[in-house]
Amino acid sequence: MEKTSINIEAKGKPKKGYYAQSANALFNFMEKPEFLETALLKKALIPRYYVEDVGFLNLEADGDRYDDIEVLQKCFCDIQLSKLFAELYVNCKGEDYESLSDKDKQRALSKKTHPDFYGKYAIAFSKEWGVEHKLQPINYLNKNGQAARSLSKAFTDLMSQEDLPLSLIDDLLNRFAYTKPVQGTMEKVFFDENDKKKTLLYDKIFHDEKEWRYVPDVSLMNNHTLENVHANPQAIDERDSWNENLQDEKYKDLWLNFNYEDIKYLLVPDNDSRDRLIKYIVSLPSDKFGLEEGIKKQIIISKIMVLENIREDI
């Protein structure tokens, strides 16, 4: 019997830089409209120090254990629009959670999608833009794996040495700046029904977030006598004042600057939020645009997408 050959011919080719199985945009989510408005006014996303749990690495030096570090960063997620509303694993624990009413516990556990947890306002750029601006996919480590053990040992060995080359120190800090456990715990501020501030501990599968991260270059940090990673508990406690200082224009070279034409999407939760953002864009100073100000503002407005409308159509 003669064999039949099957010829499957590709219909077209993906364009350069096209990602077939992940998003082609990187989203930075935020909780308040003011944060998005500030980004549009400054044409920049300003990195902030965030505490990261590194307890899974069992880092020790000179009898001290380091369970927390803080990293100067701006985070993005690599999630397709159709998956933004996928319900993720969420669990809460800790004294503040146990002190909540049943109603507030239910509200705390309702944050199951990425926008619910990180905020329903967002600005998105192409992934190609992210690569050009030195964004980096972070490393998700299995706490039981060889990579985690190797990083822990490198830390212990280096901390026991004197007069280390700066290149080795910078390399180690960079590894921590772009590392997260596959699954772990993070703190999140929560306001109960009496508007009292609580700090809840959430168990999360971080790998689902598909995070890319911007961390300012070490050489730029040195110009400002700043560090991109802190392990000192006192420095961690002072992060609010550090973050406030970073708003100053003198730190602009550390910001993640963009042009309006770089924006791919602007996300808002509902139609009222859309209307507010449109009015804000119209009010932006003329000197931010140059020629054809009106057309350029209309183009930005055209990139606004409403999350509740997207949800209805998925």
Side-chain angles (χ1 to χ4, degrees):
M1 180 180 295
E2 183 178 351
K3 293 184 178 180
T4 303
S5 62
I6 300 176
N7 181 23
I8 301 177
E9 185 177 347
K11 302 295 184 182
K13 295 182 179 179
K15 64 180 179 179
K16 180 181 178 181
Y18 176 80
Y19 290 74
Q21 295 192 20
S22 60
N24 281 278
L26 296 172
F27 295 85
N28 172 248
F29 280 86
M30 51 199 87
E31 294 185 332
K32 296 181 179 180
E34 293 86 357
F35 298 161
L36 181 54
E37 291 165 359
T38 297
L40 291 173
L41 177 64
K42 293 182 177 291
K43 298 169 71 172
L45 292 168
I46 302 175
R48 296 170 59 86
Y49 283 104
Y50 287 96
V51 175
E52 299 286 348
D53 178 12
V54 292
F56 73 103
L57 291 171
N58 299 310
L59 302 177
E60 293 186 7
D62 297 326
D64 295 323
R65 180 180 170 90
Y66 297 89
D67 287 330
D68 295 312
I69 61 172
E70 64 178 6
V71 179
L72 185 61
Q73 59 186 280
K74 184 56 66 174
C75 302
F76 295 78
C77 73
D78 174 11
I79 302 176
Q80 295 176 348
L81 278 171
S82 61
K83 296 182 179 179
L84 281 180
F85 304 104
E87 291 196 355
L88 309 173
Y89 166 77
V90 173
N91 187 42
C92 263
K93 60 185 179 182
E95 292 183 5
D96 277 5
Y97 173 72
E98 295 301 332
S99 70
L100 296 177
S101 67
D102 289 343
K103 180 180 179 180
D104 274 337
K105 285 182 178 178
Q106 184 177 6
R107 189 159 60 90
L109 292 173
S110 69
K111 298 180 179 296
K112 294 183 178 180
T113 70
H114 196 93
D116 287 338
F117 197 86
Y118 289 104
K120 296 181 179 180
Y121 297 86
I123 186 169
F125 304 93
S126 71
K127 194 173 284 181
E128 185 177 7
W129 178 91
V131 170
E132 291 174 354
H133 286 76
K134 302 180 181 180
L135 274 66
Q136 170 69 37
I138 68 169
N139 300 313
Y140 291 101
L141 296 187
N142 170 9
K143 66 180 181 180
N144 300 314
Q146 177 61 33
R149 293 197 299 271
S150 176
L151 182 57
S152 178
K153 187 176 187 306
F155 174 83
T156 301
D157 289 348
L158 287 175
M159 292 295 287
S160 66
Q161 305 295 318
E162 296 181 1
D163 299 325
L164 287 171
L166 286 177
S167 59
L168 287 180
I169 296 173
D170 289 344
D171 176 66
L172 186 64
L173 292 178
N174 265 318
R175 293 192 194 195
F176 287 127
Y178 294 102
T179 293
K180 211 163 189 172
V182 171
Q183 182 172 349
T185 302
M186 71 173 289
E187 293 184 351
K188 187 167 179 63
V189 171
F190 179 88
F191 290 91
D192 67 15
E193 56 192 348
N194 298 314
D195 206 32
K196 186 175 180 180
K197 184 179 178 181
K198 303 280 187 176
T199 301
L200 305 186
L201 294 177
Y202 280 87
D203 283 330
K204 285 183 64 60
I205 298 175
F206 293 120
H207 192 257
D208 275 341
E209 297 174 354
K210 297 180 174 290
E211 182 179 341
W212 286 52
R213 189 174 288 180
Y214 168 74
V215 178
D217 188 84
V218 172
S219 62
L220 297 176
M221 301 291 292
N222 291 339
N223 293 338
H224 296 283
T225 63
L226 293 174
E227 296 175 329
N228 55 16
V229 177
H230 291 153
N232 186 316
Q234 181 178 350
I236 293 176
D237 290 340
E238 295 174 353
R239 68 182 178 278
D240 288 343
S241 61
W242 283 110
N243 288 337
E244 184 65 29
N245 291 337
L246 286 163
Q247 303 286 324
D248 193 295
E249 290 276 339
K250 70 179 181 180
Y251 294 108
K252 190 171 183 179
D253 59 336
L254 302 180
W255 298 355
L256 184 55
N257 299 290
F258 61 85
N259 296 314
Y260 291 133
E261 55 265 31
D262 296 325
I263 299 171
K264 189 168 186 178
Y265 304 116
L266 295 170
L267 303 186
V268 295
D270 49 43
N271 290 331
D272 289 341
S273 302
R274 176 201 59 196
D275 296 346
R276 168 178 170 154
L277 184 57
I278 289 173
K279 291 177 183 177
Y280 185 80
I281 292 170
V282 170
S283 73
L284 284 169
S286 298
D287 60 8
K288 297 287 183 181
F289 295 89
L291 298 175
E292 298 185 322
E293 172 190 352
I295 292 176
K296 290 179 180 178
K297 286 183 176 180
Q298 290 176 39
I299 291 173
I300 298 174
I301 290 169
S302 73
K303 297 178 180 182
I304 299 174
M305 302 180 71
V306 179
L307 284 175
E308 67 178 17
N309 295 340
I310 297 173
R311 188 194 293 264
E312 290 176 357
D313 294 328
I314 291 178

